[in-house]
Every structure is written in structure tokens, then in C-alpha cells.
Amino acid sequence: MRKAATLFFVIFTTLCTVSNVTAEENHSTLIETIQGDVTGDGQTEEVKLYGIKFSPDSAYFRQIWAEIIGDSKRNWKITYQGGYEPKIQLIDLNHDGIKDIFYQSATGGSGGLYNYQLNTLAKGVLEEIPLPEQRFLEGSFKENFIVSIQISPDSPPYEMDVSDRAEDYIRLGIYNEEGDLLKPQSVMIDPIAFFEPVLISKRKGYGLKSYQQISGAYHADGLGTVESLWYFENGKWILLQTDWIPSN
């Protein structure tokens, strides 16, 4: 009798969970629908992006997912992080001749960060492709209101005159009025905020361009942006080029 009661409870709980999920998804919004061959079978799949808003009048989607529907009645689902203005692109970034599914949404934070996810569905197998990460960036305050930014271990650092911000840095105790550095201090290096697919060449296809902000004593004290160009080859991201773009 106890086993029967336990089994009933498990079944009841499962049904309630499924019911709640179904009811919640019924309140979802169809954000966009795009079509393309994402499995490589020569047939066109339909990719639908859905979301559930935080509240009816909110622009923030707390849940976001994509449903991929194939002609063979096979369906797949990809779950994403929530965010603002979500969208997906079908673009071959791993260069296997099949379009990948590239997702992005804005986090809404002050740093201008975005959520990203890259998936492949080649041969009907859903896999996530990790996005590139900048392995080397260094920056620090130097004597005489100079900031040093090094974007590669093999290249000399960029030196930036920040004397126009001297009053602020003196107030914060980084420098004295003569420009002497009072304490060692590194700059603030944000994670990559934004990825943009870019055409490398007709022969090579597409890569990604990343944007990463570097700030001084605090986040609003923007010094510039590191722009990097990436290409996926032999199962990994290769850094083709990195540039330092100082703020005006």
C-alpha cells in the first residue's frame, strides 16, 4: 500500500511539473522565425525563437529558447540566458559547410555586456561551440599620469596620457599633485562585451570580432576598447588581430 502511495505521488508530481511548464510556455512570445539548413541534410529547418517576459510590460525576457523543426518531424530545443532584444543568426562560423545558430541578447547592465551562445546541429547532433576568450591583456598606472596598456606579450605596451583626469586620480589617492604614483594599481579589464560576425574573405568565410572595454579607476572611467578578430579552425579559435582603440 505504501509503494502504491509513493508511486501515485511521483506520478502526480511529474504531471503537475509538466503541466506547469506547459502552462508557462503557453504565455511565451514568438520573437522571430528564421529558416535555413542547420543540419546539413539539404532540407530547410525552421528555427523559432521564443521568450517569456519578466512581466507583461517588461522588455526583459527571463526565459529564452529556440525550437528547431525539421521536415523529418525531428525537433530540437536550445535554452538560452535571459536578456533584452534577443536574436539569432544562422551563419557558418566553424566552417563545416553547415550554418550554425548564433544567439545574442543584451544583459541591460551598465557595462553594455551581451549574452552569447553558439550551437551547431550538424547531422542532427546538437552541440555548443565555446566562444573565444582573450587570454592576455594587461594595464596599469605609471608615473606622471601615464597608463600602460599591453595587448600582446610579444608587442610593446601602448602608453596613454591621462593627465586630463589628474584631478580625479589625485582625489582617489592614485597620484599626488606632482604626478607621482602613490600606489601600484592595475586598470579595470572587462570581459568581452560584444561579438560581431564578420566576413574574413570569400574563401575563408566568417569569423568573429570582439569588443572589450578597459577602464581606469572605475568603470565609467573608460580608457578605450580592445578589438580582436577571431577565426575558428581545427576545433579552436585563432586570434588573427588585436587593436587598441583609445577613447576620445
Side-chain angles (χ1 to χ4, degrees):
M1 193 67 183
R2 182 178 297 174
K3 289 183 178 180
T6 302
L7 180 60
F8 173 80
F9 176 77
V10 171
I11 294 173
F12 178 76
T13 303
T14 302
L15 289 175
C16 286
T17 301
V18 172
S19 178
N20 288 338
V21 171
T22 303
E24 190 168 53
E25 290 191 355
N26 285 339
H27 290 89
S28 64
T29 300
L30 176 59
I31 300 167
E32 67 173 327
T33 301
I34 54 179
Q35 295 180 333
D37 180 8
V38 294
T39 61
D41 62 357
Q43 304 296 317
T44 298
E45 283 80 42
E46 192 170 61
V47 184
K48 293 178 176 287
L49 186 65
Y50 291 95
I52 298 175
K53 291 186 176 182
F54 182 77
S55 64
D57 57 347
S58 174
Y60 179 81
F61 289 91
R62 59 183 175 85
Q63 291 184 34
I64 302 171
W65 68 93
E67 294 181 6
I68 301 97
I69 303 168
D71 288 342
S72 60
K73 306 302 181 184
R74 291 187 65 189
N75 297 341
W76 299 266
K77 181 177 180 179
I78 307 174
T79 302
Y80 300 119
Q81 288 181 280
Y84 296 90
E85 301 177 350
K87 73 172 186 176
I88 48 178
Q89 300 178 63
L90 303 185
I91 186 169
D92 183 12
L93 285 168
N94 66 350
H95 313 112
D96 61 354
I98 303 169
K99 291 181 179 179
D100 306 307
I101 304 171
F102 185 58
Y103 164 81
Q104 72 178 60
S105 68
T107 64
S110 60
L113 300 177
Y114 280 71
N115 298 315
Y116 287 94
Q117 189 170 317
L118 177 62
N119 289 91
T120 173
L121 199 52
K123 298 180 181 180
V125 179
L126 180 63
E127 294 181 353
E128 183 174 346
I129 301 173
L131 290 167
E133 297 180 5
Q134 184 66 262
R135 300 291 183 183
F136 183 92
L137 277 182
E138 292 182 353
S140 59
F141 289 90
K142 302 297 183 182
E143 297 288 339
N144 300 314
F145 300 110
I146 296 294
V147 169
S148 174
I149 305 292
Q150 189 164 9
I151 62 175
S152 167
D154 303 320
S155 61
Y158 292 91
E159 292 195 339
M160 184 176 180
D161 184 350
V162 291
S163 57
D164 59 335
R165 314 179 194 202
E167 183 177 348
D168 207 14
Y169 293 154
I170 292 170
R171 177 182 60 83
L172 293 169
I174 300 173
Y175 293 99
N176 63 19
E177 293 185 357
E178 287 71 40
D180 298 321
L181 188 65
L182 300 180
K183 57 182 180 180
Q185 182 157 329
S186 299
V187 299
M188 297 177 64
I189 301 176
D190 282 359
I192 291 174
F194 189 79
F195 283 107
E196 176 186 18
V198 293
L199 183 65
I200 303 298
S201 69
K202 288 185 178 180
R203 183 177 66 86
K204 285 185 170 293
Y206 281 86
L208 287 174
K209 188 173 185 179
S210 66
Y211 299 83
Q212 190 167 4
Q213 181 176 318
I214 295 183
S215 304
Y218 46 89
H219 195 268
D221 181 29
L223 297 174
T225 305
V226 176
E227 298 183 1
S228 301
L229 194 61
W230 307 86
Y231 188 78
F232 195 84
E233 191 172 50
N234 297 325
K236 63 181 181 180
W237 291 100
I238 298 170
L239 180 59
L240 300 180
Q241 180 180 328
T242 304
D243 295 310
W244 166 246
I245 312 297
S247 300
N248 293 329

